[in-house]
Structure formats: C-alpha cells, structure tokens
Amino acid sequence: MTEFGMIEEAVGALPETIAKRVGPVQVRLEAEPGFGSQWRRTEEGLEVTVATGSVEEHDAALEVLLCVGQALWEVTTPAEREEWLRVIGEEIEAGVEGEIDEDALGEKRALLGGQVSAASRRRLLRYAGASFASTVAEYVHSRWHEVTVREGPEHLPEEWLRKRWQMMERWFPH
C-alpha cells in the first residue's frame, strides 16, 4: 500500500459530522525530512501538508488525523469547549498524570509545572487544544482499524480514554 493509500483510508474513516465541520480534506505530501506537518483552511476546505521523507506511512496518516483534530478544535462550539474543559479538569483533579500522546502530555506538564502556569487560561487552552486534537486523531484511528491502548504512567488510563471517546461519539457520530 502506498503512503497516500493509507492516508486515504485514515481520511475515509472521518465521521461525516467531522468532515462537514472541517470541509473536504486535501493532503499534500512533502518529501522534505524534518518538515513535520501543518494545516490551513482554504476556500475548498482543509489543506494538510505532511512530511513523508523519513516517516512511516501509518505515522503520516496519523499526522493528517492530528491536523484534522487541530482544525476541528478551532470550530468547536462554546458548549463543546466548556464540556471538554470540564472533562480534562476532572482528569486533573483525579490526579491523572498521563495523556493520549506525547504532544498533549508535554502541554499538560507545562500547564501543571507551577502555580503561575496552572493559573494561566492561555496555557489551559493550549493543553485543551492539544488533548482534543490528539483525542480526535485516536478516535478516528480506532474507527480506521483496531488500535492498542497504551498503558503506563505517561498514558491516559483506559477509563478516562473511554470517557473521551464516548464524548467524541456523542458529538461526532458515525
């Protein structure tokens, strides 16, 4: 299977409710190593550019899904954002230290790194956006094919992951 084929499968797993919010997803592949990924809104929908040079095809597809999650965060409703903030607040209050991926974990650690950052609304929203985007990516990933839940102190415990995915299913049903 080509890189593009796997990316097409991942994008094809997007629930219609997500696709309607972000618009058609167009993917550009960039062979430049170290480029990373980025997205931008266009008149046609969402354009995602992903580096493929030294990246495995599955990882490139996950990068596309992460970009879709980031773009989706930008168009969430105020009620959805408040509910998301409530859920991640409950996780923090329960002492959940882990997260769904490394980027969200880094933002969570930055948020909880001290009294000043913990009180920062801007820092909270950065963490909320990162955790939301990663959760969307993994939610769609689980629709695309079977996934394994990672365990350990740096990972989101299964009960909290389930709670997030139930929210995704309610907001973005198949």
Side-chain angles (χ1 to χ4, degrees), residues 27-49:
V27 179
R28 292 180 50 225
L29 305 178
E30 177 67 48
E32 192 69 33
F35 170 78
S37 62
Q38 61 186 19
W39 62 271
R40 68 183 185 99
R41 294 202 184 282
T42 66
E43 289 182 16
E44 294 81 32
L46 186 67
E47 180 183 272
V48 178
T49 305

Side-chain angles (χ1 to χ4, degrees), residues 50-93:
V50 178
T52 59
S54 60
V55 177
E56 292 184 25
E57 59 186 316
H58 186 265
D59 293 340
L62 286 174
E63 278 294 314
V64 170
L65 296 179
L66 183 62
C67 287
V68 169
Q70 292 167 352
L72 185 61
W73 174 251
E74 298 296 322
V75 295
T76 54
T77 67
E80 289 167 340
R81 280 191 183 219
E82 287 308 310
E83 186 174 358
W84 186 258
L85 290 169
R86 182 185 54 75
V87 167
I88 63 173
E90 289 172 2
E91 291 173 8
I92 291 169
E93 287 178 22

Side-chain angles (χ1 to χ4, degrees), residues 8 10 24 161:
E8 283 180 335
L161 179 62

